[in-house]
Amino acid sequence: MDIMAAAIQFSQCYIEHPYVKRIMTELDKLRAQRLLSKDQQCILITGEAGTGKSALIDHYKVKDVATNKSTKMTPVLLTCISAKRDLDSTLIQMLHDLELFGASQYKRRGFATNLEQKLVNALKRAQVELMIINEFQEILEYKSMQERQAIGNSLKYISEEAQVPIAFVGMPWAAQICEDPQWASRLIRRRKLTHFCFKDIDKRRYYLSYLKGLASRMPFASPPDLASPPIAIPLFAATNGENRFIKELLKEALMIALQQQDDTIKLVHLSVAYALIVPDQPNVFEFPLDLLQLKEIESPSRINFDMNTVEQLIIGPKYTKPIAISDILSLK
């Protein structure tokens, strides 16, 4: 078996668990209803790094391309904030992502053009039904209230004139756009992707169901029992329930198992994989289960408005105090 090909295939698999299915259904609904009113209803999708925001919208885009592969139109425009993090550069980026030839000429000094109207016309020509802006928080950072309002006004005009709903995707503070009353009413749909949880029984089932989905995507005759306590519990302890870390750890363990020609993933493979990825941390896969302690996110990351340096801009998520697995399992 080609180990690298198997690892890539697993890495690219996507588990449509119920919550992300609901979000994708909402994206479809926004597209279907976009011609009913000039005032477009939009959606805000936020979450911590590693919760699967980019994976969700990439998967949605891939599904759309597969459905519309026979047309030259662009029903779903997936774009991002320009590296310069200003409005004009971002509008040019959107034109570029629409594969509009000559988009680079808008950067020339003195080139008189209305970027908003150019983008509206381009969206109409490409018959775009939904625009997804990833990492949206980047254009709001370091901006005053007036600057954020100007950005909001521009995007509102584009959305209304082109009759294209917008999905704003980003870190939790992307919700700053809702400080504008006009956008607050357009962003009734606000969805949050979170890390997995273990303490709550229903949320734990959600986590275990996700692990079963990942196991079914592995190239073994019989899927590994990733949802069994000896694997699921230390896997959570190692990752704090972070989607991206879980998948990266499992990918590494998969490659080790295939290299050793084993017929499934075992605890020892995860132990070796964890030691390779985070060699300076105690290896939780070598701990007895009753000695493991788990942490979950208690409050999300946020902007630090009292920052003195750029490095202090973001305050990371706050985690719960470690709680023993025996105490968690005794909860009702």
Side-chain angles (χ1 to χ4, degrees), residues 4-25:
M4 190 55 65
I8 292 173
Q9 184 175 10
F10 174 73
S11 209
Q12 293 177 344
C13 79
Y14 190 79
I15 309 300
E16 290 190 8
H17 50 87
Y19 188 65
V20 300
K21 276 186 178 179
R22 289 198 292 272
I23 293 177
M24 289 191 288
T25 298

Side-chain angles (χ1 to χ4, degrees), residues 26-65:
E26 286 188 281
L27 295 176
D28 287 338
K29 185 181 295 185
L30 290 176
R31 293 169 63 181
Q33 297 178 353
R34 69 188 184 89
L35 300 179
L36 296 181
S37 170
K38 186 174 182 179
D39 292 337
Q40 296 296 312
Q41 278 298 308
C42 300
I43 187 170
L44 175 68
I45 304 170
T46 58
E48 298 293 339
T51 51
K53 302 183 300 296
S54 294
L56 187 157
I57 58 179
D58 286 344
H59 179 69
Y60 185 81
K61 174 68 175 179
V62 167
K63 286 184 68 175
D64 181 75
V65 169

Side-chain angles (χ1 to χ4, degrees), residues 148-264:
R148 294 198 299 271
Q149 189 170 34
I151 291 168
N153 288 341
S154 178
L155 294 174
K156 179 173 73 70
Y157 171 81
I158 291 166
S159 177
E160 289 179 350
E161 292 301 310
Q163 288 193 284
V164 173
I166 301 176
F168 298 97
V169 182
M171 295 292 286
W173 56 94
Q176 282 181 304
I177 191 175
C178 298
E179 294 172 2
D180 182 338
Q182 296 186 89
W183 273 110
S185 64
R186 287 171 171 79
L187 287 168
I188 298 171
R189 292 176 171 84
R190 303 178 194 179
R191 305 296 175 253
K192 295 179 182 179
L193 293 178
T194 63
H195 292 319
F196 292 106
C197 298
F198 201 92
K199 185 177 177 181
D200 180 271
I201 293 177
D202 290 334
K203 293 179 179 179
R204 186 190 313 160
R205 290 183 182 133
Y206 202 67
Y207 164 64
L208 298 177
S209 173
Y210 179 71
L211 293 184
K212 290 177 182 178
L214 290 177
S216 70
R217 303 301 198 279
M218 292 183 170
F220 298 113
S222 297
D225 193 3
L226 300 182
S228 64
I231 290 181
I233 294 174
L235 184 58
F236 193 97
T239 62
N240 293 330
E242 182 186 320
N243 187 326
R244 182 187 296 158
F245 196 177
I246 290 170
K247 203 167 179 184
E248 183 63 26
L249 194 49
L250 289 173
K251 182 188 72 175
E252 193 72 33
L254 170 63
M255 294 176 68
I256 293 168
L258 293 176
Q259 287 167 354
Q260 297 178 354
Q261 298 184 345
D262 288 329
D263 58 359
T264 192

